[in-house]
Amino acid sequence: PKQAVRRGLGLLPEDRKQQGVLLEQSIRINTTLSSLKKIIRLLGVISEKKDKELTKDVLEQLATKYNSMEDHTSSLSGGNQQKVVFAKWVYTDPKILILDEPTRGVDIGAKKEIYNIINDLAAKGVAIIMVSSELPEVLGMSDRVMVVREGLIRDRIIYKEEANQENVMTLATGGTI
């Protein structure tokens, strides 16, 4: 993981509660966990001021709703927990961000905000690889769609020209286009 982060790779796992955040740690700790180098001063001491400033800035950018950055991450709604996971990776300045079911378990309002975050990251040049079982999400968010069935890539569909529900479902069920 250390080498992956150093090379610009980030991962939002499918199960944020088990793999994405430390629920009983503060929002601040979860936000800065993957990028401690940005807040460490000489001799390996964390700059509390810089830590709090950067955490506040990134959480504001992502429209995260919270009372105190020292509250446990478990106190947040599912959508805001997911934003904390995004914040953790935004801090690292990723080149590639793999999103595994990025909107699973979040309400419709949080989904829209998460889509905005994804679009903003893509506009900044971050390559986004999104894994989703929600076909409308895939079709609405993707430039290209790759269908994986039984562990194999079935085809690549260039979104603007060919990606539609019928073509994706044909490939997902073993057919060809």
Side-chain angles (χ1 to χ4, degrees), residues 18 23 26 37 53 65 69 80 104 109 112 130 173 177:
Q18 292 295 316
L23 289 171
S26 71
K37 280 187 174 184
E53 285 174 2
K65 295 171 185 75
M69 68 178 75
N80 284 303
R104 177 171 284 164
K112 186 175 188 273
M130 184 168 67
T173 57
I177 299 176

Side-chain angles (χ1 to χ4, degrees), residues 2-177:
K2 191 175 185 179
Q3 289 176 337
V5 171
R6 211 179 286 142
R7 291 186 173 135
L9 183 66
L11 168 70
L12 264 88
E14 179 178 358
D15 187 344
R16 72 175 167 270
K17 291 182 179 183
Q18 292 295 316
Q19 301 169 323
V21 293
L22 301 169
L23 289 171
E24 299 308 316
Q25 291 293 329
S26 71
I27 297 164
R28 179 184 51 79
I29 286 172
N30 274 286
T31 303
T32 58
L33 195 58
S34 293
S35 53
L36 292 174
K37 280 187 174 184
K38 290 188 175 190
I39 58 171
I40 290 181
R41 296 185 299 189
L42 293 175
L43 304 173
V45 177
I46 292 176
S47 167
E48 191 174 326
K49 180 181 178 190
K50 193 169 187 179
D51 186 15
K52 288 180 178 181
E53 285 174 2
L54 290 174
T55 299
K56 184 178 180 226
D57 288 347
V58 75
L59 292 174
E60 279 180 11
Q61 286 175 32
L62 303 180
T64 310
K65 295 171 185 75
Y66 62 97
N67 290 324
S68 165
M69 68 178 75
E70 298 307 323
D71 290 346
H72 284 185
T73 306
S74 62
S75 70
L76 300 174
S77 68
N80 284 303
Q81 287 177 8
Q82 192 72 326
K83 289 179 192 178
V84 169
V85 181
F86 268 98
K88 175 172 68 173
W89 291 112
V90 167
Y91 243 153
T92 67
D93 299 319
K95 295 176 186 162
I96 301 170
L97 194 52
I98 302 169
L99 311 175
D100 191 355
E101 302 288 352
T103 62
R104 177 171 284 164
V106 300
D107 66 52
I108 193 75
K111 277 187 179 191
K112 186 175 188 273
E113 291 173 342
I114 289 169
Y115 294 152
N116 289 338
I117 294 166
I118 294 168
N119 286 329
D120 289 347
L121 290 168
K124 292 176 183 172
V126 177
I128 305 290
I129 300 171
M130 184 168 67
V131 178
S132 179
S133 55
E134 294 186 35
L135 189 52
E137 179 172 82
V138 169
L139 295 175
M141 293 297 296
S142 302
D143 293 324
R144 294 186 193 111
V145 176
M146 294 177 83
V147 176
V148 178
R149 183 172 177 271
E150 297 176 352
L152 298 173
I153 296 171
R154 294 299 170 185
D155 203 348
R156 186 177 7 235
I157 302 171
I158 299 173
Y159 177 71
K160 305 276 189 248
E161 299 165 13
E162 299 173 337
N164 59 50
Q165 188 169 346
E166 182 180 332
N167 286 346
V168 171
M169 291 308 295
T170 298
L171 293 171
T173 57
T176 59
I177 299 176

